């Protein structure tokens, strides 16, 4: 096996932690001795041992004189756990190869420290793949702790998310819906507007048969606190919180009743008679929410784009058409007037999910 093969394995291990480690990144590591993998590890949960520690412990005495491949530069500070750099030195690792440097100024400097203490170091192997895997963490650290925002859309070929009567289940195929739940599992929080809540009464939980998952925090935009007190999102047996985002003036008695149900509240200012999404991103970032999935509906999706908070778009197209202009559109409200002002995507990928087409891209 080559260095590239070993880093590929580390990336596959890192992916196992996706959805469980926030606000830490998902990281994988392998220990290699005489060309053979002798230790494997990945960061399994926030506060748990880091990938390097797990891999070195897995290798045991075979770690001495071995190489360590890790998807992120080893940390060099005391946090919830000790510095991985110290563990590496104690184990007698001779060479460390990291896919990408750590952008967190608190934890960075690990490779320099190791080099100064006689360990051979390298960086940049499969960096693009590692950064894609950790894109939410990297964005959060590099952009003043603002969450990485994914906008998910699922529509017919003629751009409708529901019929004129509001029927939307199910536009996409089962495989597309399973993919959507995987994205929910990976996100710290999921956001919908009050219109979607009233129309569908969703639970906004993560359900993947046969797989351990984590529910995202449920963020509900509800300017005037019109949510029904019997809504699924506030009557769930879930460890994830429900956060209702309101304007400055809401019924106090209703708010107090919902607080007794363990509902959390965030108050943001109004902007053009709508909740200020930019201010909301700041508040969510302060709550250590590194990634946010927006699922609907059309007004919220349009507002998110126009406010410039969206980083990535996941768009499902189903091979069916409603054949009219009276269905619910993917985006509702006023759009741009010039094509030059249209939202443009780059780094686009297109794949087939059974009958559906999945398009993913990043907002320029």
């Amino acid at each position: 096996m080559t260095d590239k093969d070993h880093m590929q394995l580390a990336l596959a291990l890192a992916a196992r932690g996706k959805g469980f480690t926030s606000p830490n990144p998902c990281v994988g590591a392998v220990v290699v001795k005489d060309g053979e993998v002798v230790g494997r590890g990945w960061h399994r949960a926030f506060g748990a041992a880091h990938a390097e520690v797990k891999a070195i412990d897995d290798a045991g005495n075979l770690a001495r004189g071995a190489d360590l491949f890790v998807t992120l530069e080893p940390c060099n500070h005391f946090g919830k756990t000790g510095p991985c750099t110290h563990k590496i030195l104690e184990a007698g690792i001779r060479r460390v190869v990291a896919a990408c440097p750590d952008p967190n100024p608190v934890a960075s400097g690990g490779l320099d420290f190791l080099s100064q203490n006689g360990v051979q170091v390298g960086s940049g192997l499969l960096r693009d793949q590692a950064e894609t895997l950790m894109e939410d963490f990297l964005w959060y650290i590099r952009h003043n702790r603002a969450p990485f925002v994914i906008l998910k859309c699922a529509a017919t070929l003629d751009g409708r998310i529901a019929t004129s009567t509001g029927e939307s289940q199910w536009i996409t195929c089962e495989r597309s819906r399973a993919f959507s739940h995987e994205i929910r599992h990976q996100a710290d929080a999921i956001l919908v507007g009050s219109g979607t809540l009233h129309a569908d009464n969703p639970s906004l939980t993560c359900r993947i048969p046969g797989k351990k998952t984590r529910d995202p925090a449920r963020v509900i935009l509800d300017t005037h606190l019109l949510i029904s007190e019997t809504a699924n999102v506030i009557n769930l047996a879930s460890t994830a919180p429900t956060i209702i985002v309101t304007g400055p003036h809401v019924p106090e008695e209703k708010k107090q009743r919902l607080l007794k149900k363990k509902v959390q509240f965030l108050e943001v200012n109004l902007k053009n008679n709508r909740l200020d999404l930019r201010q909301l991103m700041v508040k969510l970032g302060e709550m250590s929410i590194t990634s946010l999935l927006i699922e609907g509906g059309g007004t919220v999706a349009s507002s998110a784009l126009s406010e410039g908070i969206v980083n990535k778009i996941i768009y499902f197209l189903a091979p069916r058409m409603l054949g009219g202009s009276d269905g619910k559109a993917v985006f509702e409200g006023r759009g741009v007037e010039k094509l030059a002002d249209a939202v443009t995507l780059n780094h686009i990928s297109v794949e087939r999910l059974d009958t559906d087409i999945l398009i993913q891209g990043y907002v320029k």
Side-chain angles (χ1 to χ4, degrees):
M1 295 177 68
T2 66
D3 284 1
K4 184 176 180 180
D5 294 326
H6 296 138
M7 189 62 79
Q8 287 280 18
L9 176 57
L11 286 165
L13 291 169
R16 297 189 185 186
K18 190 76 173 175
F20 296 109
T21 63
S22 183
N24 284 352
C26 56
V27 180
V30 295
V31 177
V32 178
K33 184 74 169 284
D34 299 326
E36 298 293 328
V37 175
V38 296
R40 295 173 172 84
W42 68 93
H43 189 35
R44 297 173 184 245
F46 177 65
H50 288 187
E52 302 94 315
V53 173
K54 299 292 289 185
I56 290 171
D57 286 346
D58 188 41
N61 293 332
L62 293 175
R64 187 157 300 278
D67 297 342
L68 175 70
F69 294 83
V70 61
T71 57
L72 182 68
E73 177 184 18
C75 68
N76 193 41
H77 80 300
F78 286 90
K80 285 187 174 293
T81 61
C84 290
T85 51
H86 292 197
K87 179 76 173 183
I88 290 167
L89 291 178
E90 292 167 2
I93 295 289
R94 75 173 186 93
R95 182 171 72 119
V96 174
V97 179
C100 58
D102 193 334
N104 188 348
V106 175
S108 63
L111 290 180
D112 286 342
F113 176 83
L114 291 171
S115 179
Q116 292 163 10
N117 284 274
V119 178
Q120 299 177 40
V121 300
S123 179
L125 182 61
L126 300 185
R127 178 170 178 167
D128 287 349
Q129 293 183 36
E131 291 196 336
T132 297
L133 188 63
M134 297 182 292
E135 60 190 9
D136 46 1
F137 166 77
L138 296 176
W139 174 271
Y140 183 73
I141 293 298
R142 292 169 176 166
H143 294 83
N144 298 317
R145 286 171 165 71
F148 182 84
V149 178
I150 300 171
L151 173 60
K152 193 210 84 174
C153 308
T156 62
L157 287 180
D158 48 356
R160 304 293 161 176
I161 61 175
T163 67
S164 59
T165 63
E167 183 183 354
S168 62
Q169 297 180 349
W170 297 104
I171 285 177
T172 55
C173 68
E174 185 175 342
R175 189 175 170 195
S176 294
R177 298 196 297 273
F179 187 97
S180 296
H181 277 272
E182 181 65 37
I183 301 302
R184 282 187 183 183
H185 161 68
Q186 296 176 7
D188 288 347
I190 180 172
L191 180 148
V192 300
S194 57
T196 296
L197 192 74
H198 298 322
D200 300 336
N201 192 22
S203 297
L204 303 181
T205 53
C206 180
R207 303 177 297 278
I208 304 176
K211 178 176 179 177
K212 179 183 177 182
T213 59
R214 180 182 63 95
D215 288 341
R218 296 166 290 275
V219 181
I220 314 299
L221 301 182
D222 192 359
T223 307
H224 305 294
L225 195 55
L226 300 177
I227 188 172
S228 168
E229 293 180 47
T230 62
N232 286 337
V233 292
I234 57 176
N235 293 283
L236 287 171
S238 173
T239 57
T242 292
I243 304 167
I244 299 180
V245 185
T246 72
H249 304 293
V250 297
E252 186 61 29
E253 289 185 3
K254 186 174 184 179
K255 182 177 179 179
Q256 291 302 318
R257 290 196 300 271
L258 292 175
L259 284 170
K260 292 178 181 178
K261 292 190 174 187
K262 309 301 182 184
V263 171
Q264 298 178 21
F265 283 88
L266 282 180
E267 181 182 307
V268 300
N269 296 327
L270 298 183
K271 183 179 179 181
N272 299 322
N273 294 319
R274 292 179 179 172
L275 296 169
D276 188 336
L277 295 183
R278 286 179 174 268
Q279 184 186 20
L280 175 59
M281 294 306 106
V282 173
K283 289 179 177 285
L284 293 178
E286 291 171 349
M287 297 171 65
S288 295
I289 290 177
T290 65
S291 57
L292 175 70
L293 173 63
I294 298 178
E295 284 207 356
T299 302
V300 172
S302 181
S303 296
L305 277 184
S306 65
E307 287 298 311
I309 66 170
V310 177
N311 299 96
K312 183 177 183 179
I313 291 180
I314 296 177
Y315 201 119
F316 297 92
L317 273 175
R320 58 179 70 195
M321 294 177 283
L322 301 187
S325 61
D326 57 345
K328 305 288 185 181
V330 177
F331 299 102
E332 294 185 352
R334 189 176 181 83
V336 300
E337 296 182 355
K338 299 178 181 180
L339 281 175
D341 298 326
V343 175
T344 305
L345 303 183
N346 55 19
H347 303 297
I348 299 167
S349 67
V350 181
E351 62 181 299
R352 181 86 171 264
L353 296 181
D354 291 341
T355 58
D356 297 344
I357 296 172
L358 169 60
I359 303 169
Q360 300 186 73
Y362 296 84
V363 177
K364 268 190 177 180

